[in-house]
Amino acid sequence: MSIIELLKVLVLGIVEGFTEWLPISSTGHMILVDEIIHLNVTEDFRSVFLVVIQLGAILAVAVIFFQRLNPFDPQKTENQKWITVHLWFKIIIACVPAAVFGLLLDDWMEAHLYNAYVVAAMLIVYGILFIMLENRNQDTEFPIRRVTQISYQTALYIGLFQVLSLVPGTSRSGATILGAMILGCSRPAAAEFSFFLGVPVMFGASLLKLVKFGFDFSAAEIVYLILGMVVAFVVSVYSIKFLMAYVKRNDFKFFGYYRIILGVIVLAYFSVTALLG
């Protein structure tokens, strides 16, 4: 363990925390940044690290929305408690499709799709989709203004959109926000529900990686994981607050353009690297 490696972990934690909740693909950014700075660890641990530090990002959601997601809050009325319980049922239902396909396809996806070219393609494709959707939505009045107005059926459909995020570069938040808006959710409601869906999905993905790895970590690897999670938590708090404030006044076209520009840069960089290498 060296200062250089700790700095690399710090950078990866910042990238994870900043990109996890924005519709720009945290997994895609993590893969790309790791290819550039290349954390000096085994391939097996790298695979675990890039997923497990998401636990820090999950904790940020739990802290910021603790009252909203807590059905036992004594300050809530009985009706409000039942609304929160129903919200959790909707979250669970929305997570089922990704959980099923994730378990079935995790190894195949990692072996065949975790590369810069797939990431670049998905960045560009979904960037275009965001711009097209927002152009269509310029004068749209969304029928679903709040998360509590999302029905069980709509929650399931949003969960099906979340399956698309299994492809690296798509963005879990990007797929769910895009799907929620197509289904009639306002931008704030779509973003907030996406945050809530991230808790069980990312916790499940992290647990799956840990079980496969076997919890057999060296002292240095434990330090890397803890540091990465702590940094991801701190940065995620600011990232979530930024996005919730942003979508109240703006649409998602900026993120669409960002995805396209980044996708083109990534495609060009790795194509040139391949030719020169």
Side-chain angles (χ1 to χ4, degrees), residues 39-186:
L39 188 62
N40 188 24
V41 294
T42 66
E43 286 301 320
D44 286 341
F45 177 73
R46 177 180 288 103
S47 174
V48 173
F49 175 84
L50 295 178
V51 174
V52 172
I53 65 168
Q54 294 176 345
L55 290 173
I58 294 173
L59 184 58
V61 173
V63 169
I64 293 174
F65 296 101
F66 180 76
Q67 186 176 25
R68 290 284 307 281
L69 295 173
N70 181 14
F72 308 108
D73 187 345
Q75 296 182 6
K76 290 182 177 179
T77 65
E78 287 301 314
N79 184 54
Q80 289 173 326
K81 290 178 180 178
W82 275 112
I83 289 174
T84 306
V85 169
H86 281 291
L87 174 60
W88 271 110
F89 282 139
K90 293 171 187 176
I91 291 169
I92 292 169
I93 287 173
C95 289
V96 169
V100 172
F101 283 97
L103 286 170
L104 294 174
L105 300 175
D106 181 62
D107 291 335
W108 186 88
M109 289 280 189
E110 188 168 333
H112 296 88
L113 299 182
Y114 273 61
N115 61 74
Y117 298 105
V118 171
V119 169
M122 292 302 99
L123 284 169
I124 294 170
V125 168
Y126 282 88
I128 293 172
L129 288 176
F130 262 113
I131 294 169
M132 291 175 61
L133 179 65
E134 288 293 19
N135 283 337
R136 192 199 72 174
N137 287 340
Q138 282 182 345
D139 301 312
T140 299
E141 284 294 328
F142 296 100
I144 302 172
R145 308 292 298 177
R146 299 186 302 276
V147 167
T148 52
Q149 294 177 307
I150 295 174
S151 67
Y152 281 95
Q153 184 180 51
T154 301
L156 177 61
Y157 290 159
I158 294 173
L160 293 173
F161 275 97
Q162 186 169 233
V163 174
L164 299 173
S165 67
L166 294 174
V167 180
T170 298
S171 168
R172 188 201 57 78
S173 60
T176 52
I177 289 172
L178 196 70
M181 289 174 62
I182 290 173
L183 294 167
C185 294
S186 67

